[in-house]
Amino acid sequence: MIKLIVFDHDMTIVDSSYAIQAGFNYVARHEGLPEVSHELTMKYIATPIPTFCEGLLGEYRPEWVKLYRECNEKFERELIKPFDDTIPTLKILREMGIKLAVLSNRETPRRVLERTGLDEYFDEIVGALEPFGHLPYKPNPAMMNALLQHFNIPASVTVYVGDADLDIITAIASGVRGIGITKGNFTRPEFRSLGAWKSIDTLSEIIDIVKKDAVSKKK
């Protein structure tokens, strides 16, 4: 029976793609480069910023990353929104008595969760700098291991939901079951090939997964 569900943040419980697009278009305008489309932005979701620069702007320059980060908080505040089924799904899962957490490669993810009002739905929010001190980024399992220890909940009754290969690799490395959500660049077959326990297209599908898992454990 699932007792803890851990979620990645970007493109899992929120759509951050428009904020990312706006940030790179800010850089493009500053540098006199063509603006980038949302479709092209989506192609590079869940890749490192240098890869984003190369894919969207044609090359990587450290000063472009600095420019992007200067405007990033403003665009995130304005444009990051929860997916339509995020809050209804989180409410139901909480009513089912399941502990919920966020685990992100963002250094301090709580701030952005507070801006979207999602922080109130989670029992813990974990980033590379908070709340357990400086920990290695995913796919290193250190953040997940610290979270499991914090809750004193076994990996066997925990799942991790994310939109990228890093999330599934992290889940496997920490012994929890990984669920891939196809909001980013990965398909159901790709998640299966990575070793995901399940794959979903919408967050609300998790409710049935939890119910079926509980029934199977009773048999």
Side-chain angles (χ1 to χ4, degrees):
M1 184 178 295
I2 296 168
K3 294 184 178 180
L4 169 63
I5 301 178
V6 188
F7 297 88
D8 176 46
H9 181 259
D10 297 277
M11 303 310 295
T12 298
I13 58 174
V14 300
D15 186 348
S16 52
S17 61
Y18 291 96
I20 295 169
Q21 178 191 6
F24 277 96
N25 278 333
Y26 173 87
V27 177
R29 289 191 296 271
H30 186 276
E31 297 297 306
L33 298 170
E35 293 196 10
V36 301
S37 67
H38 184 255
E39 181 181 8
L40 184 61
T41 303
M42 286 298 298
K43 184 178 178 182
Y44 291 94
I45 286 291
T47 59
I49 288 182
T51 305
F52 256 113
C53 282
E54 291 171 359
L56 273 60
L57 304 177
E59 62 179 294
Y60 165 65
R61 294 185 185 178
E63 61 266 30
W64 290 354
V65 176
K66 183 179 178 182
L67 271 175
Y68 174 82
R69 287 176 172 156
E70 283 175 1
C71 67
N72 189 240
E73 185 169 346
K74 172 182 181 293
F75 291 129
E76 286 194 341
R77 184 170 57 250
E78 295 171 353
L79 297 173
I80 286 183
K81 307 292 183 185
F83 288 112
D84 290 342
D85 62 345
T86 294
I87 291 176
T89 299
L90 296 177
K91 285 181 176 179
I92 292 171
L93 293 173
R94 286 184 69 88
E95 289 168 2
M96 295 169 72
I98 296 171
K99 286 194 174 294
L100 306 178
V102 167
L103 191 154
S104 170
N105 265 352
R106 287 173 175 264
E107 293 183 345
T108 54
R110 181 173 290 277
R111 286 186 302 176
V112 68
L113 281 157
E114 289 173 348
R115 288 199 295 265
T116 56
L118 290 178
D119 59 306
E120 65 181 276
Y121 297 100
F122 295 100
D123 299 288
E124 191 55 87
I125 297 167
V126 181
L129 294 182
E130 64 178 17
F132 305 124
H134 196 291
L135 293 172
Y137 296 103
K138 298 180 294 183
N140 188 296
M143 284 192 284
M144 182 66 77
N145 292 339
L147 180 62
L148 295 175
Q149 185 176 9
H150 169 74
F151 282 125
N152 194 27
I153 291 178
S156 60
V157 293
T158 302
V159 297
Y160 185 37
V161 186
D163 70 297
D165 52 351
L166 289 182
D167 304 313
I168 303 305
I169 295 168
T170 301
I172 293 170
S174 54
V176 311
R177 288 173 283 180
I179 298 178
I181 186 167
T182 61
K183 293 292 189 180
N185 275 327
F186 289 84
T187 63
R188 285 177 180 257
E190 286 171 331
F191 280 126
R192 283 196 297 271
S193 69
L194 287 165
W197 175 53
K198 303 281 186 182
S199 58
I200 56 177
D201 298 317
T202 61
L203 214 60
S204 58
E205 293 174 62
I206 294 173
I207 297 165
D208 281 339
I209 289 175
V210 171
K211 290 177 179 177
K212 289 177 182 177
D213 186 68
V215 170
S216 69
K217 294 296 187 294
K218 291 178 181 178
K219 291 181 179 179

